[in-house]
């Protein structure tokens, strides 16, 4: 390097430093959270909102978001949508119209999320969906919407393969089957077990508010199934597991609930849960967790005095994906550019979930991310990660693209 | 024993008893007679505390009971056998009788119960039947017996013969005569003036919320106005 | 098939017991005061929450927490009578109706403030299961059924065999005549509210141990309770007992043999069917 060049470089550096300190006056970026903070959906929504707030604090402490010349510190406003479509629509309208928010995170529950998804395409805003698993949320190719959690049937397919391999042929289903994504999960399971000559012999329903499952279970018991499959929210599902034991049903119990130990033990004893399988996105489990996962668990537990729900990192990861997209786009003002950047994003290093990128990208053309699926079993009071479930994100992504 | 002074009773601001004064001495049988709607029942209800007096005073054995509540008046010794019998229809006959002794704590209640059933054999026969299933006359007997179960110092009867067949009316009056003979003080309201005056020692004649005549029962019975208006002569 | 019917019957008995206890409380209050005490369900759930609170945060054994909650229920019921219903005792019926609705919202709000929106399950530690032929009876359900029977019998004895109980019936049947018997008609509603609320709290504890207590559950129960009253015949104790049991078992059997999706509708279908055939209810008296 010549002397001349060196002086020029120094001058340039000095200039940038000066410019940086004057131009990069700290700005504020307000992100909104619309999620179920009370009611039945709150077991998913509240931890998600907590996770976003925690991520915001971490990012702020580490210097904020650098968008071109600007540095943003993040502010979070969270509204309760009670997992209800009308409330969710109101919450998002308030965030956009009154609070001037451009980035909306959270979204644990499918009904409320679908309602918002139906109009978000017309807004100058970006929507990042978390735990809501209804497939159709990412089949409409809404350019300013992405989702961190894979659709339920992506997991259902993997679960079906697992059950088929275990060899039970006559499966009785008990679940929240009036909810689209749970029904889709069961349909995928059915497709897989049919391939090995199995069948679903009963589809019994419970609602979010049901706590007495003995009528349905008694009916199922009369059919002598080889196994039962429980798909639905944690709270009713916990009663299914407990009452199945109380009715003396001694057959394998598979499930798709993603509930924590704490959530189940509020309803059941550990003995009543012994041996239950949960076939679900791997999500956050200490046994299978990355370094990020372990740190997340520790920080969350310290901050909120409760362990994080396994699905809460979907929302935590939303904010880190958003940060990376804003930094890549070089702007926080132009939501179109940020939405485009999200679709082209490599998986950021700070995320907690273990994503399976499609063509090197965290979100596919549909705005959908994929995480690995796992088989967990309740053993002596704990969910134990037993194995990964075989799942092919690329093939599923292509299938998803064919849907409307 | 019972002394009513210038009693007024109103319903919703409309006065229907306009200053009635009457007395009943211990052991006496006093009749109140008069046309429909004259205010006889209202007077009895005011004495029992079922409706408030809007003026005047009521005293019983020297104590002012004008503003006392209904249950306190019963405990003081006044019981009423109300117009229309008012038995507890779904409770059994025997439960009705026991309710009569509600305020009592003495050990003789069961003895009184069997005494009442001796006096009214039909009640013994029907003791476990619902009171609402009894005939009108039987219900009247039950209401009378129930009132006596309280061992009242004074017993108020409001038209015990109302709506009963003549034969039954006669037996009701026989019963009242027996009660009188037992030494119970009686204040009797009756439309059946002839029979009431035959039974009573003294009587008051009500007209439109006022007492228009009073005196020995025999004297009233023979008074030409009473004879014309109430005795059908 | 037979085993399934028997099993469903046993399943339904526990919840039937809960319905009976709720309905008995409602019918006594209705009988005495002629009011539809809508807040009954929410207050009952308060008792369940209280038991949960004592048994978890306060570390009391559940068996010790239950009597405390029952006594609290008696006092709370009396308080409700004095503060909420007594002032409108002689007013137009619509006033008591509005008070009842307002009270429901208030108690639901208090429950939410004190105990949060999350469901709570009263930990009993009872997880044994008895087997009889092909039929299974969980220990907890058995105790719930037995407790419900004991409470119902105790209440029947109280009403039929004690002076106070008889006075309650007498006031329900003929208030003025009861006064003439020397009944203090101001204290009777107190006793009735105390007793009804204690029964309700017992039901709340049962729901909390068998299932869970959460916002809205109490309101649902009170609606079922009124359905039971109408089903059994307004003002009839045996009607409430029969109606509650029938409803519990019918729900269970219908959910098992028709569809669980309609479980809550079934209560009303049964009620309407019964009313078509017997307008006065199962054990009500013909008008
Ligand atoms: N609860 C009430 N509310 C309003 N008015 C009433 C009430 N009870 C009685 N009255 C009126 O008060 C007046 C006196 O009635 P009350 O029953 O005292 O008369 P009564 O002499 O007993 O008549 P009867 O011989 O018909 O029994 C009547 O005009 C009646 O209409
Ligand atoms: Mg009269």
């Amino acid at each position: 390097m010549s002397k001349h060049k060196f002086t020029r470089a120094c001058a340039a550096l000095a200039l940038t430093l000066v410019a940086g300190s004057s131009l990069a006056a700290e700005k504020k970026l307000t992100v909104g959270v619309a999620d179920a903070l009370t009611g039945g959906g709150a077991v998913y929504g509240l931890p998600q909102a907590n996770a976003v707030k925690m991520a915001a604090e971490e990012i702020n402490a580490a210097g904020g978001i650098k968008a071109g010349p600007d540095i943003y510190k993040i502010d979070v406003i969270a509204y309760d949508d009670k997992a209800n479509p009308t409330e969710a629509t109101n919450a998002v309208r308030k965030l956009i119209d009154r609070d001037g928010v451009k980035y909306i995170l959270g979204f644990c529950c499918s009904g409320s999320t679908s309602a918002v998804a139906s109009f978000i395409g017309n807004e100058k805003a970006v929507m990042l969906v978390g735990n809501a698993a209804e497939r159709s949320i990412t089949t409409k190719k809404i350019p300013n919407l992405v989702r961190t959690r894979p659709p339920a049937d992506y997991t259902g397919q993997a679960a079906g393969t697992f059950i088929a391999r275990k060899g039970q042929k006559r499966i009785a289903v008990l679940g929240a089957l009036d909810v689209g994504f749970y029904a889709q999960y069961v349909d995928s399971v059915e497709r897989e077990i049919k391939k090995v000559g199995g069948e679903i012999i009963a589809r019994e329903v419970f609602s979010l508010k049901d706590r007495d499952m003995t009528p349905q279970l008694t009916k199922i018991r009369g059919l002598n199934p080889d196994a039962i499959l429980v798909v639905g929210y944690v709270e009713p599902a916990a009663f299914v597991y407990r009452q199945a034991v109380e009715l003396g049903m001694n057959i394998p119990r598979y499930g798709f609930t993603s509930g924590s130990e704490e959530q189940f033990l509020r309803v059941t004893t550990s003995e009543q849960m012994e041996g239950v399988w949960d076939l679900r996105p791997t999500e956050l489990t200490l046994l299978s967790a990355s370094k990020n996962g372990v740190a997340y668990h520790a920080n969350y537990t310290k901050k909120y005095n409760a362990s994080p729900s396994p699905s809460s990192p979907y929302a935590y990861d939303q904010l880190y994906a958003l940060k990376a997209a804003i930094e890549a786009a070089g702007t926080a003002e132009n939501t179109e550019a940020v939405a485009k950047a999200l679709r082209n994003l490599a998986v950021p290093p700070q995320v907690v979930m273990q994503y399976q990128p499609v063509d090197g990208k965290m979100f596919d053309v549909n705005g959908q991310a994929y995480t690995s699926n796992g088989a967990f079993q309740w053993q002596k009071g704990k969910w134990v990660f037993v194995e990964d479930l075989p799942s092919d994100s690329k093939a599923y992504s292509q299938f998803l693209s064919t849907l409307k | 024993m019972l002394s009513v002074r210038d009693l007024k009773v109103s319903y919703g601001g409309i006065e229907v008893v306009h200053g009635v004064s009457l007395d009943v001495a211990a052991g006496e049988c006093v009749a109140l007679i008069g046309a429909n709607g004259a205010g006889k029942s209202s007077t009895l209800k005011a004495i029992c505390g079922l409706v408030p007096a809007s003026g005047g005073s009521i005293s019983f054995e020297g104590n002012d009971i004008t503003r006392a509540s209904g249950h306190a008046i019963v405990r003081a010794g006044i019981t009423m056998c109300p117009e229309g019998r008012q038995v507890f229809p779904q409770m059994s006959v025997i439960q009705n009788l026991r309710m009569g002794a509600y305020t009592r704590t003495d050990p003789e209640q069961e003895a009184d119960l069997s005494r009442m059933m001796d006096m009214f054999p039909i009640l013994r026969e029907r003791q476990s039947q619902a009171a609402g299933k009894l005939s009108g006359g039987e219900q009247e007997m039950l209401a009378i017996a129930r009132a006596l179960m309280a061992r009242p110092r004074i017993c108020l009867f409001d038209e015990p013969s109302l709506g009963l067949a003549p034969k039954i009316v006669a037996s009701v009056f026989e019963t009242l005569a027996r009660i009188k003979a037992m030494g119970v003080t009686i204040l009797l309201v009756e439309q059946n003036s002839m029979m009431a005056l035959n039974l009573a020692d003294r009587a008051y004649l009500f007209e439109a919320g006022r007492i228009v005549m009073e005196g020995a029962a025999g004297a009233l019975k023979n008074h030409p106005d009473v004879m014309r208006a109430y005795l059908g002569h | 098939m037979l085993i399934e019917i028997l099993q469903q019957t046993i399943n339904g008995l526990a919840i039937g017991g809960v319905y009976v206890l709720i309905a008995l409380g409602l019918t006594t209050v209705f009988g005495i005061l002629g009011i539809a005490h809508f807040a009954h369900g929410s207050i009952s759930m308060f008792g369940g929450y209280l038991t949960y609170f004592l048994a978890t945060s306060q570390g009391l054994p559940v068996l010790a927490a239950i009597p405390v909650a029952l006594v609290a229920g008696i006092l709370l019921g009396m308080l409700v009578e004095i503060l909420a219903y007594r002032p409108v005792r002689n007013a137009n019926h619509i006033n008591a109706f509005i008070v009842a609705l307002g009270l429901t919202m208030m108690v639901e709000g208090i429950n939410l403030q004190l105990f949060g929106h999350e469901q709570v399950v009263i930990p009993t530690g009872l997880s044994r299961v008895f087997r009889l032929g092909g039929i299974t009876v969980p220990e907890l359900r058995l105790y719930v059924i037995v407790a419900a029977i004991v409470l119902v019998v105790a209440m029947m004895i109280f009403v039929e065999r004690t002076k106070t109980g008889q006075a309650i019936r007498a006031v329900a049947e003929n208030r003025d005549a009861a006064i003439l018997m020397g009944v203090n008609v101001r204290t009777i509603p107190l006793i009735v509210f105390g007793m009804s609320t204690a029964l309700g709290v017992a039901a709340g504890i049962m729901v909390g141990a068998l299932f869970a207590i959460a916002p809205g559950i109490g309101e649902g129960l009170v609606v079922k309770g009124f359905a039971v009253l109408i089903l059994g015949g307004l003002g009839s104790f045996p009607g409430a007992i029969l109606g509650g049991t029938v409803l519990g078992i019918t729900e269970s059997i219908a959910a098992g043999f028709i569809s669980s999706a309609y479980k809550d509708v079934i209560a009303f279908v049964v009620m309407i069917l019964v009313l078509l055939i017997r307008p006065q209810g199962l054990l009500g008296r013909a008008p």
Side-chain angles (χ1 to χ4, degrees):
Chain A
M1 190 189 282
S2 77
K3 200 177 173 188
H4 187 64
K5 264 188 179 166
F6 178 74
T7 356
R8 255 190 14 209
C10 281
L13 182 68
L15 204 69
T16 13
L17 284 178
V18 172
S21 57
S22 67
L23 284 178
E26 229 173 66
K27 291 189 169 181
K28 198 193 267 174
L29 178 69
T30 307
V31 302
V33 170
D35 224 326
L37 307 182
T38 63
V43 290
Y44 302 109
L46 200 57
Q48 285 208 142
N50 288 342
V52 172
K53 287 179 194 157
M54 190 169 95
E57 279 177 24
E58 289 173 11
I59 291 171
N60 289 343
I65 300 180
K66 298 169 198 62
D70 298 324
I71 292 183
Y72 288 95
K73 288 284 161 78
I74 307 169
D75 236 13
V76 180
I77 315 178
Y79 287 142
D80 183 10
D81 69 17
K82 301 189 171 81
N84 170 298
T86 316
E87 301 264 0
T89 304
N90 291 342
V92 169
R93 285 254 63 97
K94 255 196 318 200
L95 283 170
I96 295 176
D97 300 339
R98 195 188 64 189
D99 304 323
V101 165
K102 293 194 167 70
Y103 303 99
I104 306 170
L105 287 65
F107 299 105
C108 70
C109 296
S110 292
S112 45
T113 304
S114 299
V116 176
S118 69
F119 68 82
I120 199 73
N122 306 322
E123 302 292 335
K124 289 223 171 315
V126 176
M127 172 176 181
L128 294 97
V129 180
N131 183 61
E134 164 65 41
R135 185 173 63 200
S136 65
I137 293 170
T138 46
T139 56
K140 302 201 180 74
K141 314 205 167 42
I142 302 164
N144 56 342
L145 177 152
V146 295
R147 170 163 62 179
T148 44
R149 187 220 172 114
D153 58 344
Y154 174 65
T155 309
Q157 194 176 0
T161 338
F162 181 78
I163 296 171
R165 219 171 54 214
K166 287 273 169 191
Q168 286 99 20
K169 293 278 187 277
R170 293 158 44 78
I171 313 293
V173 173
L174 180 47
L177 300 180
D178 46 350
V179 176
F181 71 86
Y182 285 123
Q184 288 157 14
Y185 181 98
V186 173
D187 289 343
S188 297
V189 169
E190 186 176 32
R191 239 176 281 129
E192 295 305 316
I193 61 171
K194 268 193 172 156
K195 289 180 191 162
V196 295
E199 60 177 331
I200 302 241
I201 57 167
R203 283 172 200 260
E204 287 292 320
V205 180
F206 59 68
S207 77
L208 185 53
K209 283 200 174 140
D210 272 345
R211 294 295 177 265
D212 188 4
M213 312 295 176
T214 45
Q216 296 96 310
L217 283 168
T218 302
K219 185 173 173 186
I220 286 175
R221 191 180 71 176
L223 298 172
N224 274 321
D226 297 336
I228 57 172
L229 172 64
V230 182
V231 295
Y233 313 100
V234 183
E235 291 173 345
F239 281 96
V240 174
Y241 291 138
R242 164 172 152 184
Q243 289 161 4
V245 173
E246 290 176 346
L247 284 169
M249 296 172 76
N250 195 11
I251 48 177
R253 290 170 290 168
Y254 297 103
F256 172 52
T257 61
S258 307
S260 68
E261 284 93 358
E262 220 175 322
Q263 288 170 333
F264 278 103
L265 287 178
R266 265 183 228 138
V267 174
T268 66
T269 64
S270 178
E271 295 77 62
Q272 287 166 332
M273 285 297 292
E274 190 63 28
V276 169
W277 290 97
D278 208 24
L279 308 176
R280 58 171 170 89
T282 308
E283 300 183 344
L284 179 71
T285 40
L286 284 179
L287 273 172
S288 70
S290 57
K291 239 169 61 198
N292 287 352
V294 175
Y296 172 81
H297 191 282
N299 293 340
Y300 186 105
T301 310
K302 192 161 151 233
K303 184 164 162 57
Y304 296 109
N305 222 346
S307 35
S309 68
S311 63
S312 58
Y314 286 130
Y316 178 85
D317 293 352
Q318 290 171 341
L319 195 59
Y320 276 104
L322 180 64
K323 169 180 186 284
I326 289 175
E327 288 178 348
T331 170
E333 299 296 324
N334 183 345
T335 55
E336 260 173 62
V338 174
K340 208 174 257 159
L342 272 171
R343 289 281 211 277
N344 279 311
L345 203 64
V347 178
Q350 303 95 330
V351 297
V352 167
M353 299 294 198
Q354 290 159 28
Y355 292 94
Q356 301 176 321
V358 177
D359 296 333
K361 290 167 185 166
M362 177 170 180
F363 298 102
D364 70 3
V365 289
N366 306 299
Q368 181 63 59
Y370 301 93
T371 60
S372 61
N373 295 307
F376 296 80
Q377 192 175 35
W378 189 285
Q379 295 174 4
K380 303 199 178 70
K382 287 229 162 312
W383 285 120
V384 173
F385 174 74
V386 176
E387 59 176 278
D388 264 318
L389 293 176
S391 20
D392 184 344
S393 59
K394 182 153 190 185
Y396 184 87
S397 171
Q398 277 162 4
F399 161 70
L400 193 64
S401 300
T402 64
L403 301 175
K404 288 206 282 286
Chain B
M1 184 181 220
L2 177 70
S3 165
V4 175
R5 284 291 159 270
D6 199 25
L7 175 70
K8 297 188 170 105
V9 178
S10 313
Y11 295 106
I14 298 166
E15 194 175 275
V16 298
V17 174
H18 316 286
V20 160
S21 299
L22 57 86
D23 291 277
V24 183
E28 233 188 343
C29 174
V30 175
L32 305 183
I33 59 174
N36 276 336
K40 307 178 297 289
S41 295
S42 300
T43 304
L44 293 196
K45 283 182 182 166
I47 295 172
C48 293
L50 290 182
V51 301
S54 53
S57 68
I58 305 164
S59 71
F60 181 63
E61 298 189 318
N63 300 318
D64 182 59
I65 56 163
T66 318
R67 313 241 171 277
S69 55
H71 63 97
I73 293 170
V74 176
R75 276 167 208 274
I78 302 177
T79 294
M80 175 156 77
C81 177
E83 186 176 287
R85 307 177 249 293
Q86 315 286 342
V87 296
F88 303 111
Q90 294 182 58
M91 293 168 74
S92 69
V93 167
I94 201 155
Q95 285 175 326
N96 268 271
L97 290 172
R98 290 217 166 91
M99 270 314 290
Y102 180 75
T103 55
R104 287 173 58 182
T105 49
D106 62 281
E108 282 172 52
Q109 298 170 46
E110 287 304 302
D112 276 6
L113 191 65
S114 74
R115 221 166 289 145
M116 282 308 142
M117 295 199 291
D118 292 340
M119 192 168 162
F120 306 101
I122 187 73
L123 299 185
R124 169 160 287 136
E125 225 170 274
R126 301 272 166 97
Q127 55 175 296
S128 45
Q129 246 180 45
K133 295 248 162 70
L134 303 185
S135 73
E138 290 161 353
Q139 285 190 19
E140 188 59 52
M141 298 304 171
L142 175 58
I144 294 171
R146 185 182 64 176
L148 295 176
M149 279 298 292
R151 286 206 176 170
R153 305 254 260 291
I154 178 169
C155 193
L156 282 41
F157 292 93
D158 195 352
E159 295 202 43
S161 71
L162 186 75
L164 300 180
K167 222 177 83 185
I168 313 285
V169 172
S171 90
V172 167
F173 273 92
E174 268 166 41
T175 306
L176 291 177
R178 276 160 69 194
I179 294 167
K180 183 186 172 193
M182 283 156 55
V184 178
T185 309
I186 292 174
L187 179 57
L188 169 68
V189 164
E190 256 303 333
Q191 294 264 341
N192 199 324
S193 313
M194 181 58 121
M195 296 187 89
L197 291 175
N198 282 337
L199 180 74
D201 305 317
R202 284 190 311 114
Y204 294 86
L205 175 60
F206 266 66
E207 241 165 52
R210 290 197 169 77
I211 290 177
V212 292
M213 198 180 288
E214 62 174 286
L220 252 71
K221 198 162 55 177
N222 296 318
H223 193 282
D225 290 356
V226 178
M227 282 172 65
R228 194 172 341 104
Y230 302 102
L231 301 179
H233 294 291
Chain C
M1 185 71 178
L2 181 67
I3 284 192
E4 206 177 321
I5 292 178
L6 281 174
Q7 181 72 57
Q8 296 288 22
T9 305
I10 292 192
N11 295 345
L13 270 180
I15 189 70
V18 170
Y19 292 159
V20 169
L21 293 180
I22 292 281
L24 279 178
L26 288 174
T27 204
T28 357
V29 169
F30 185 81
I32 296 289
L33 300 168
I35 50 178
H37 178 33
F38 291 115
H40 189 54
S42 310
I43 296 175
S44 303
M45 290 310 128
F46 174 85
Y49 276 123
L50 185 65
T51 310
Y52 171 80
F53 171 75
L54 293 173
T56 54
S57 313
Q58 302 305 107
L60 232 58
V62 175
L63 277 183
I66 290 173
V68 176
L70 290 177
V71 171
I74 293 176
L75 298 178
L76 197 65
M78 293 181 163
L79 211 62
V80 162
E81 198 277 324
I82 295 171
L83 296 182
Y85 290 118
R86 187 167 292 186
V88 293
R89 173 77 187 91
N90 294 315
N92 197 316
H93 256 63
I94 188 82
N95 296 23
F97 183 74
I98 301 294
V99 165
L101 289 185
L103 191 65
T104 312
M105 289 198 263
M106 209 175 89
V107 177
E108 280 287 314
I110 290 173
N111 283 346
L112 203 63
Q113 282 303 314
L114 289 182
F115 305 108
H117 52 78
E118 288 226 22
Q119 74 165 23
V120 308
V121 179
I122 298 172
T124 58
L126 301 171
S127 59
R128 272 186 304 165
V129 176
F130 302 120
R131 286 195 174 70
L132 204 95
I135 295 167
T136 53
V137 187
E139 184 181 24
L140 176 60
R141 280 193 186 224
L142 190 68
Y143 298 155
V144 163
I145 294 168
V146 170
I149 293 173
V150 167
L151 285 171
V152 168
V153 169
M155 160 148 178
M156 293 310 277
I157 290 175
F158 172 67
V159 169
E160 290 298 320
R161 295 265 183 276
T162 69
K163 268 198 168 169
T164 312
Q166 288 286 284
I168 291 174
R169 275 194 74 176
V171 174
E173 293 195 13
N174 191 328
R175 190 180 145 86
D176 275 356
I179 295 176
L180 292 176
M181 303 297 112
V183 176
N184 183 343
V185 288
R186 282 173 77 84
T187 56
I188 291 295
L190 267 183
I191 296 167
V192 162
F193 266 89
M195 180 185 76
S196 301
T197 310
L199 289 180
V201 165
I205 295 170
M206 291 172 180
V207 169
L210 278 176
F211 309 119
I213 309 170
I217 301 244
E219 287 155 308
L221 262 184
V222 95
V223 172
K224 292 268 176 74
F226 279 112
V228 166
L229 287 206
I230 296 170
L231 182 65
L234 261 185
S236 158
F237 287 156
I241 295 167
L242 182 69
T245 316
V246 164
L247 184 64
I249 294 173
T250 316
E251 275 187 359
S252 177
I253 290 185
F257 287 90
I258 305 170
S259 164
S260 46
Y262 301 115
K263 200 156 83 183
D264 286 334
V265 184
I266 285 156
F268 299 96
V269 173
V270 170
M271 187 181 88
I272 290 166
L273 284 182
V274 168
L275 292 186
L276 282 177
I277 302 162
R278 274 185 71 86
Q280 71 273 35
L282 290 173
L283 296 184
R285 291 174 316 142

